Amino acid sequence: MKRTTIKDVAEAAGVGVATVSRVLSGGSASAETRERVLAVAAHLDYRPSALGRNLRQQRTGGIGLLVPDLTDTLYGRLAEGVLACARSAGEPVVVGSTGDDPEQEAELIGMLLEQSVDRVIAVPSGDAEAWGPAIRAGMTVVFVGEQPEEEPGDDDPLDELLLLDGVRTPPKPDGAIPTVLADDRSGVRTAVQYLKGLGHRRIAYLGGPGHPRRVAAFREALGELADEELIVFAGGGRDSAYAAASGLLQRHRDVTALLAGGNRLGEAAVLASRELGLRIPGDLSLVMYDDVPWAELCSPPLTVIAQPGQDLGYRAAELVLRAGARRPRGVLLPTELIVRGSCGPRP
């Protein structure tokens, strides 16, 4: 007989998997929703507590790896780092793609619990509350590249990172999930200073979902030159990124430099510039966060903020494998500005 899963409960109750997870773990939900979810769970004979006992008593080993997009070059490098470390420890790795969707992330967390995978490395898509059931069931979790939104009143991750430079251990509240991060602030700050040194004053930022540290660092580095109208955000898809880049460059013809907050956004900026007849770097200087193979093949090659994707994965795997040992609360790895041909003096 097929065992009832958290997805079955969600579908029968007409709510998302993340909502079921919150209700069953004692998290926030309306009284009506809570009553409906609990009634459906009882009717379907769903017992999440059994999963926790199974996880603690019958550990199967292995590491779960959850990333937003397996086709993204950065996450591919991150996975290589995890696999290299896990291979040396003789641990198998189960890889899942969340699509940067909190509901899909919650479903995958439930599946890993049911499969008794007790160590997980994740680029989180949802908020911290979504991971509550996994933590309470005894799962060892390490975040990499991102920190999920905390409950109101928690420390702002940016405030912690402002104190750091280079490879450090960022201070975290007791009980917080260890996180391996690239030093976004230092990378963005260096890039903006480089553009300002070339004479640029009208510098735009093209961002996407997540990465709040990058846009905060951009505002901080520009100071009084920061213009909120030049800070534009796209959705997660390529079409959205292109629309945002094209709209930004059409509305603000006086922009002479652009920092794209990710490789998909950088791709969109290159395409939009070509469509609009803007020469790089003659009319527009372009810096992209994240180095990918095609960046060096562009004409001209793109100046990038490179982050150590493989090292991020390797260090995250090291942390998650040290269950029971004293682990640092987090690791911050350096970024590097690689200057190529896509930036020049202000026109």
Side-chain angles (χ1 to χ4, degrees):
M1 180 178 178
K2 179 178 177 291
R3 184 170 60 183
T4 301
T5 68
I6 192 171
K7 185 178 181 181
D8 297 328
V9 176
E11 290 177 350
V15 298
V17 173
T19 300
V20 175
S21 177
R22 285 197 300 272
V23 169
L24 297 180
S25 63
S28 60
S30 68
E32 179 184 352
T33 299
R34 183 180 302 280
E35 183 178 347
R36 182 165 72 253
V37 169
L38 292 177
V40 169
H43 177 72
L44 296 178
D45 196 27
Y46 178 68
R47 298 186 178 91
S49 60
L51 296 176
R53 289 196 299 272
N54 186 45
L55 184 64
R56 289 188 294 269
Q57 297 172 4
Q58 301 180 22
R59 188 181 81 81
T60 61
I63 300 171
L65 172 62
L66 302 182
V67 297
D69 182 0
L70 288 170
T71 66
D72 188 287
T73 303
L74 170 65
Y75 299 130
R77 294 201 306 266
L78 191 154
E80 286 295 330
V82 172
L83 290 168
C85 185
R87 193 179 301 118
S88 66
E91 292 279 1
V93 178
V94 179
V95 182
S97 175
T98 66
D100 209 20
D101 179 2
E103 296 284 339
Q104 192 168 329
E105 178 183 75
E107 181 180 337
L108 288 170
I109 294 170
M111 289 174 57
L112 291 172
L113 281 169
E114 291 175 350
Q115 294 170 14
S116 297
V117 175
D118 63 350
R119 296 184 175 107
V120 174
I121 297 166
V123 179
S125 299
D127 57 26
E129 189 178 7
W131 290 87
I135 302 301
R136 285 186 282 274
M139 181 177 276
T140 301
V141 179
V142 171
F143 292 142
V144 56
E146 290 285 341
Q147 288 177 317
E149 294 180 8
E150 301 289 344
E151 294 296 319
D154 286 347
D155 292 338
D156 185 348
L158 177 63
D159 292 338
E160 299 166 4
L161 293 176
L162 292 177
L163 303 175
L164 303 175
D165 192 17
V167 181
R168 303 284 180 87
T169 300
K172 295 290 294 175
D174 289 340
I177 295 173
T179 305
V180 181
L181 299 168
D183 193 350
D184 289 355
R185 175 184 178 253
S186 177
V188 170
R189 180 182 60 192
T190 301
V192 171
Q193 289 175 343
Y194 172 64
L195 291 171
K196 289 166 69 175
L198 290 172
H200 296 281
R201 294 297 179 265
R202 297 290 286 169
I203 305 173
Y205 180 87
L206 179 62
H211 307 297
R213 299 185 310 276
R214 294 179 190 175
V215 67
F218 178 79
R219 290 189 177 103
E220 176 200 4
L222 271 181
E224 61 183 16
L225 293 177
D227 183 344
E228 290 300 317
E229 290 188 356
L230 302 185
I231 299 175
V232 174
F233 296 94
R238 281 186 165 81
D239 290 343
S240 175
Y242 175 80
S246 181
L248 169 66
L249 295 176
Q250 288 184 71
R251 288 193 304 271
H252 301 284
R253 292 285 185 170
D254 60 338
V255 165
T256 63
L258 173 65
L259 197 161
N263 62 71
R264 183 170 291 178
L265 299 163
E267 175 186 311
V270 170
L271 293 175
S273 298
R274 289 176 179 172
E275 289 289 329
L276 296 171
L278 296 174
R279 298 167 302 152
I280 298 176
D283 301 313
L284 179 73
S285 289
L286 177 61
V287 178
M288 180 175 73
Y289 195 103
D290 198 21
D291 193 15
V292 290
W294 62 261
E296 200 168 3
L297 301 177
C298 276
S299 180
L302 298 187
T303 294
V304 297
I305 303 167
Q307 56 178 327
Q310 190 161 342
D311 286 348
L312 286 168
Y314 198 97
R315 294 296 294 272
E318 284 183 329
L319 290 185
V320 85
L321 286 169
R322 289 168 60 181
R326 180 175 177 82
R327 295 179 300 165
R329 295 169 181 171
V331 175
L332 192 67
L333 299 178
T335 54
E336 178 188 4
L337 181 68
I338 300 177
V339 176
R340 297 186 180 127
S342 63
C343 295
R346 181 179 64 180

